[in-house]
Amino acid sequence: DSLSSVRVVGDVQNFKVVDGVLFNKEMTRLIWCSTEKSGRYEIPHIVTTIDHMVFSGRKKLTSIVLLDTITEIKADAFRCCTGLESVELPDSVANIGYRAFSSCHSLKSVTIPRSVETVDERAFYKCRCLETAYLPEGLEYSSDVFPKKTKIIRY
């Protein structure tokens, strides 16, 4: 939780660090983010996968912009981003991992795009301010994906 920076030394041919964010060489995978990252963050347009626990516990983030290259948000990717007020999921996302947005206490609403095939267990679990979730007709999900009080609106 307290790791605030990463410096890649030696053979750096497989990784790239940009503004406190660690990517694979091609920048298609977002691997790690500094605990100091704050405010609004726009994920670069060539990223397709947000790895496990990349933003977990980044309390200073308030907004995440995911562009339409993202196809997968892995388990715990944004868990405990307590300051996260908004996230826009693009139509390219196919999978939202286990507890991906769990305990994002400031998140008030979320729209799951039609492209999503799976929303894993507890994806938005313990998002205590999550009032409304917009889901496409026919998308199946388990009973523990959203807090009990969340209003589900199908579109």
Side-chain angles (χ1 to χ4, degrees), residues 47-50 67-73 90 92-96:
V47 172
T48 59
T49 302
I50 300 172
L67 301 177
D68 62 3
T69 54
I70 302 291
T71 58
E72 184 175 18
I73 301 170
S92 56
V93 173
N95 302 305
I96 300 173

Side-chain angles (χ1 to χ4, degrees), residues 21-73:
V21 180
L22 179 67
F23 300 91
N24 65 335
K25 172 179 71 172
E26 299 82 13
M27 289 186 67
T28 56
R29 280 184 46 222
L30 204 156
I31 299 169
W32 177 84
C33 176
S34 168
T35 55
E36 298 306 309
K37 186 64 74 185
S38 64
R40 179 181 183 272
Y41 180 64
E42 184 172 314
I43 294 175
H45 71 281
I46 56 177
V47 172
T48 59
T49 302
I50 300 172
D51 274 2
H52 178 75
M53 297 187 76
V54 170
F55 293 99
S56 185
R58 303 319 187 254
K59 295 171 173 52
K60 298 174 187 176
L61 283 175
T62 57
S63 177
I64 294 288
V65 179
L66 304 170
L67 301 177
D68 62 3
T69 54
I70 302 291
T71 58
E72 184 175 18
I73 301 170

